Amino acid sequence: MIQFFHVFKSYTGEDFALRDITFEIEKGEFVFVTGASGAGKTTLLKLIFMEERPTNGQILIAGRNINRLRQSSIPYLRREMGFVFQDFRLVDQWSVYDNVAIALRVAFIDEWEVRRRVSRVLKLLDLDVKRNTPVVRLSGGEQQRVAIARAIVKDPLILLADEPTGNLDPDLSKEILHVFEEVNARGTTVVFATHDLSLIKEFPRRVIKLHRGMVVEK
Amino acid sequence: MKRFYAFLTYVWRTLYQAHRATIFSDFLNSITVMVLAGTAAMVMFFLVNFEESLQASKKGISVLVYTHEKPSSQQLKTLSQLPEIEDIKVIPGETILQKEMGKEALRVFREAGVNIPQVISITLEPEKEVSEQFKKIVNHTFQPVYVDYGIEVRRSLGTVLRVIQALSFTTTVLFVVGIIIIVAGGVRSNILMQQQEIEVLKLVGATGRYIAFPYTLKYTYTTFLFITLGLYLFDVLVIGSGVFSSGGGGLLSVKSIPFRFYTYLVLAGTGAAAVSGYYTLRRML
């Protein structure tokens, strides 16, 4: 599903955020990406999500070489992915419902189907009672759950999560991880970046460990 | 089919939001668009009326002879034998007075017992000037109260027309350029204000067109609305009020702008807004 071949990424042209990264993630796999702050976890996820382009090397997502992908094709590939960002990236003045529904509306899914799917994920993440509340009025933990709801509502092929439990207490973190497991059980490939080793211990899965932009364990 | 329905829902929602946004924001821009449309219409109005007069003058100079004596057919025949004469008409003075000054003035003149002169309208062949012989015959035969040779007026009319034509072209260009600048600026500031929303749309897989469409629609719709409003106000306040219809002493036949000119202005302005909005968005997204 995801293949990296000798990928390098530099933002400045001198220092490399990622160096010679090669790995493969199978379809339906659940993988933790771990490493200290600045190890390159976020950059790796951004490359998969095509928010950044590699400086060197090849990346294949669902069989498509993203180096050769035209800019206009990126939105269509993104519709097959879900991304939970560390900083949530929600529209503050929109309601919880609209923030989640937009992931389906951009693909012109009909409104009846949007309502059905959004209601389902909001119930799953215990956000149903706050569906009409603007996200700016929610706590950090609630906003994180809205971001997760938006990422999983379209049943993506690939789910990327960048420290999704960073702002949550341990109990809620476990609950969230259970949600990711459920999504994974339905066949979605999950790439979960975290530096929380206790979480990895509790949910043993394959780990890709980064250190100063290089893979030290996969 | 479901997708098409979803697309229609999207268009409808976008149009509704565009309508609401039009009411609450970009007020200054909308007023500017209105003023631009009104100015363009004003110049168009002058052009239409001067064009009319130029067409009339191209047909040949009209000399108006005001006289109290009713000309005989023999006198008219003598005059018509001159080579520069194309046509001669005798018009009752009352008809001219009513046309120039209105029914009320005619009534006042009648009640005051004013002897209104009749008018002999003599049209010369195209490009022909009034000759000395012509003047002599007119002065001896008809003993006129007043003769309007109209030459100076027509010469200056031609010059004014050329100026107005140039002005009209410039105004139309300025109108279109003005709208392009206003819309581009509006779109730019809108995008900067809604950066967060656009960023999120991109992340969830919205295409450039999906993001650009609401903004383009909003600005096209706003421009259309305010050009139409500007032209409507111009029509009601300027033409409808009759400011120009009583002026000119009948020299110009004042006409309102043909509907097609309004349509051209609306189409040009709306088209410019759509192109400018879409192009600016595509560059910025």
Side-chain angles (χ1 to χ4, degrees), chain B residues 174-191:
Chain B
L174 285 179
F175 169 68
V176 171
V177 171
I179 283 174
I180 288 172
I181 292 169
I182 288 170
V183 169
V187 166
R188 220 167 263 148
S189 62
N190 249 267
I191 285 185

Side-chain angles (χ1 to χ4, degrees), chain A residues 97-186:
Chain A
Y97 181 90
D98 284 335
N99 265 288
V100 178
I102 192 64
L104 300 171
R105 283 176 178 159
V106 295
F108 297 117
I109 307 283
D110 86 286
E111 206 54 33
W112 184 85
E113 180 68 9
V114 170
R115 222 171 296 148
R116 192 184 69 78
R117 286 211 220 170
V118 174
S119 297
R120 179 171 60 86
V121 291
L122 291 183
K123 269 185 200 145
L124 182 74
L125 290 156
D126 205 17
L127 285 165
D128 208 25
V129 286
K130 301 212 167 171
R131 60 192 294 140
N132 296 319
T133 311
V135 293
V136 73
R137 288 203 219 137
L138 302 180
S139 68
E142 285 170 326
Q143 290 192 21
Q144 186 66 288
R145 280 186 282 152
V146 176
I148 293 167
R150 186 183 63 193
I152 65 174
V153 72
K154 52 190 171 183
D155 295 326
L157 283 176
I158 300 167
L159 178 57
L160 308 166
D162 189 8
E163 304 274 7
T165 55
N167 300 299
L168 308 177
D169 59 67
D171 287 342
L172 202 55
S173 297
K174 282 176 199 164
E175 266 181 52
I176 293 297
L177 210 59
H178 278 301
V179 172
F180 277 85
E181 278 196 315
E182 264 181 56
V183 174
N184 177 238
R186 286 202 292 258

Side-chain angles (χ1 to χ4, degrees), chain B residues 102-122:
Chain B
K103 272 185 187 173
E104 189 55 26
L106 181 62
R107 191 182 61 79
V108 171
F109 273 75
R110 270 182 188 158
E111 279 175 9
V114 175
N115 184 12
I116 303 165
Q118 52 199 321
V119 178
I120 306 167
S121 171
I122 306 159

